[in-house]
Amino acid sequence: ARGLTVEVSGTGRVNPDSPKPKENVLDGYELVFADEFNNTELDSSKWVTQYLWGDDLVINSEEQHYVDIFNKPDFGFNPFSFDGESVTISSIRTPDNLLDKANGQKYLSGVMTSYDSFKFTYGYVETRAQLPFGQGLWPAFWLLNAYYVDDKPEIDIMEFIGDNQDTVYHTYHYYDSDGKLRSTESEGTKGTDWTNGWHTYAVEWLPGTLIFYVDGIERHRVIDSKVSQQEMYILANTALGGWWPGSPDSSTPFPAEYKIDYIRAYQKADGALLADPNEGRPSDLPLWDDVPNASPSHLPPFELFPQGEFTITPAVLA
């Protein structure tokens, strides 16, 4: 296993005060879901290639169309390619002959989610990835609530703004009882250049606590009574455009390539978890509108979902 690997850039003496990878972070955990992407095509038993709300609903003014290779295999472009060791999500400018199929969106890209195959509550989730450089690119690795009830939480393990090479972001969102989005800041982890080489991005999700890791080093922690208590599923994608990263421009290199070596999820082998340190306390997270440098939620209102795209269990929504 190549997980929790720290890649060192540059030469010279190592700073003895620099953060060190946390040892034994996976003690007591067992692997419950994984894809090593060693095949020649995306595994349909593990992934779906469209959002829960389908491919027609545009969120956050984004400019990509996600190609659903399983439901539309003859679309004319497959964003997922394999080299025997990893998968690449490629993003391109939409060819003129595919604009109608892409609903007029300027770019084609890919999203994969574990919605149909794997949902879980609490655990440790990690990817090893190489991020693309370029204005307007927005690759992400994240968790989303499985059902539209209560807090509708979202755990953004890693988001990256393609022209800001030295920062990756970590954010937590949920909706309060008035339906208003609440959020942490999008805390940044600084590095020399996250587009140069492979890095690991992970979260340990515990009752009342989220611990974000980059290259095995704890970089950010959220402690709040509204940390997700719901089943979540895994997503990886490259968005383009939108008000957060801005639009691609003439400097953006295409195809943009988001490479993923693996995605792995672990849960406690004996089911034991720490007690929630915030149980019974009110949430401390402010309204999203009041938070500087917060990424947007990716969750559109349920009433905007096209009918018939996915089935969400009615009993759960009741």
Side-chain angles (χ1 to χ4, degrees), residues 26 51 113 148 172 175 181 184 236 280 310:
L26 290 177
Y51 280 143
T113 96
Y148 263 61
Y172 177 65
Y175 286 85
L181 182 64
T184 66
F310 281 88

Side-chain angles (χ1 to χ4, degrees), residues 128-292:
R128 183 173 184 262
Q130 184 169 338
L131 304 178
F133 168 76
Q135 166 64 37
L137 303 179
W138 187 0
F141 177 60
W142 48 302
L143 306 179
L144 194 56
N145 64 93
Y147 309 108
Y148 263 61
V149 293
D150 301 326
D151 300 334
K152 299 184 282 292
E154 176 182 326
I155 302 172
D156 294 324
I157 303 169
M158 180 280 296
E159 293 182 281
F160 181 69
I161 304 302
D163 64 334
N164 187 7
Q165 292 166 265
D166 69 347
T167 308
V168 290
Y169 296 96
H170 324 286
T171 314
Y172 177 65
H173 304 288
Y174 80 93
Y175 286 85
D176 64 21
S177 58
D178 295 322
K180 294 182 179 179
L181 182 64
R182 292 186 176 268
S183 179
T184 66
E185 290 189 31
S186 291
E187 297 286 349
T189 295
K190 294 288 185 179
T192 54
D193 180 358
W194 298 114
T195 68
N196 183 17
W198 295 88
H199 299 275
T200 61
Y201 305 98
V203 69
E204 187 174 16
W205 169 26
L206 302 165
T209 302
L210 297 171
I211 307 170
F212 295 92
Y213 294 91
V214 178
D215 290 333
I217 299 170
E218 180 181 335
R219 293 299 188 174
H220 180 52
R221 185 178 289 232
V222 174
I223 300 176
D224 194 89
S225 61
K226 285 295 187 177
V227 165
S228 176
Q229 301 174 39
Q230 299 185 16
E231 278 195 322
M232 309 282 277
Y233 61 101
I234 302 170
L235 305 95
N237 66 291
T238 302
L240 294 95
W243 63 263
W244 204 44
S247 296
D249 60 23
S250 60
S251 71
T252 307
F254 287 103
E257 297 184 340
Y258 176 16
K259 296 180 179 292
I260 300 174
D261 180 24
Y262 62 74
I263 292 175
R264 299 172 185 160
Y266 303 79
Q267 289 189 289
K268 290 290 186 181
D270 57 3
L273 289 167
L274 298 174
D276 185 344
N278 299 285
E279 188 173 359
R281 297 181 182 177
S283 172
D284 291 328
L285 299 192
L287 292 171
W288 176 82
D289 290 341
D290 297 331
V291 179

Side-chain angles (χ1 to χ4, degrees), residues 60-72:
N60 299 319
S61 301
E62 295 167 21
E63 300 176 55
Q64 80 287 331
H65 176 86
Y66 291 121
V67 179
D68 184 0
I69 63 168
F70 295 133
N71 289 313
K72 300 178 181 178

Side-chain angles (χ1 to χ4, degrees), residues 72-87:
K72 300 178 181 178
D74 298 325
F75 184 90
F77 174 69
N78 185 341
F80 304 100
S81 59
F82 293 78
D83 61 9
E85 296 184 347
S86 63
V87 61

